[in-house]
Amino acid sequence: MAIQRLSHIGLCVANIERAATFYKEVFGYKNRGVLKIGKEADALLDLKSTDLDVMYLQRPGEDTRIELLHFKSPGTEISKKVRAVNLTGITHFSFRVDNMQEVLALTKKYGGHFIESSYSEYKDFGVASCMITDPNGTRIELLQAPGDPNLLPGQS
């Protein structure tokens, strides 16, 4: 098969250090490297005069990386509201947690936001879930469920 792996998920951020601190402290990511990218990426990114700082984060023992992108030029456009989940494209990503309250406290401490109205329990499966946002408004689901975290909720 020609596909080797999912390489990374890119997140545009207003402040790369603040975003990195959030993902490191809340979810245990480690810095895997930084890049400075210039106008050679203009065609790929469909931008002009690109001046971009990139930081790759990865959790120990996991394959997929998060790529934090901070555009010094042409600048970063900051969204005024959280992206709706019924828009086409990536809606959120999800972390399986064993202590939701601990993760919610860290989320607040490091600049994220708990969307309190999103809290849901699925008692038939012993599952609780909610949505948070990172400091840039990226929607993240927290899923607390019993059993093997590699299985889907409700599977045994």
Side-chain angles (χ1 to χ4, degrees):
M1 180 176 211
I3 305 299
Q4 295 178 321
R5 60 170 282 166
L6 176 62
S7 173
H8 62 269
I9 297 167
L11 302 175
C12 181
V13 300
N15 181 314
I16 201 163
E17 291 303 327
R18 182 176 184 208
T21 298
F22 177 83
Y23 284 98
K24 289 174 184 178
E25 298 297 330
V26 177
F27 297 110
Y29 278 83
K30 304 290 184 201
N31 186 335
R32 296 287 297 184
V34 295
L35 296 172
K36 296 208 175 281
I37 298 173
K39 57 187 174 186
E40 66 275 7
D42 283 0
L44 174 67
L45 301 174
D46 194 24
L47 295 172
K48 293 192 185 321
S49 303
T50 301
D51 184 4
L52 172 63
D53 290 331
V54 177
M55 181 183 294
Y56 289 98
L57 303 176
Q58 188 171 10
R59 284 177 42 89
E62 293 185 2
D63 291 333
T64 302
R65 297 176 193 101
I66 292 177
E67 177 188 53
L68 302 178
L69 306 158
H70 175 69
F71 290 90
K72 294 189 274 185
S73 175
T76 300
E77 294 185 31
I78 299 172
S79 177
K80 301 293 185 212
K81 64 181 190 172
V82 176
R83 189 178 187 284
V85 295
N86 63 338
L87 293 175
T88 57
I90 295 174
T91 64
H92 70 286
F93 52 101
S94 178
F95 288 95
R96 184 87 172 254
V97 301
D98 61 9
N99 185 327
M100 189 176 295
Q101 294 307 313
E102 180 181 329
V103 177
L104 290 173
L106 290 169
T107 295
K108 182 177 180 181
K109 180 177 179 179
Y110 292 101
H113 176 72
F114 170 35
I115 303 172
E116 293 182 34
S117 62
S118 71
Y119 182 82
S120 302
E121 289 185 357
Y122 307 90
K123 294 184 185 201
D124 290 346
F125 300 113
V127 172
S129 63
C130 70
M131 290 287 188
I132 63 171
T133 62
D134 74 3
N136 294 285
T138 300
R139 194 181 292 259
I140 301 167
E141 178 185 17
L142 303 179
L143 178 63
Q144 184 172 315
D148 184 343
N150 294 310
L151 297 176
L152 296 173
Q155 288 184 334
S156 50

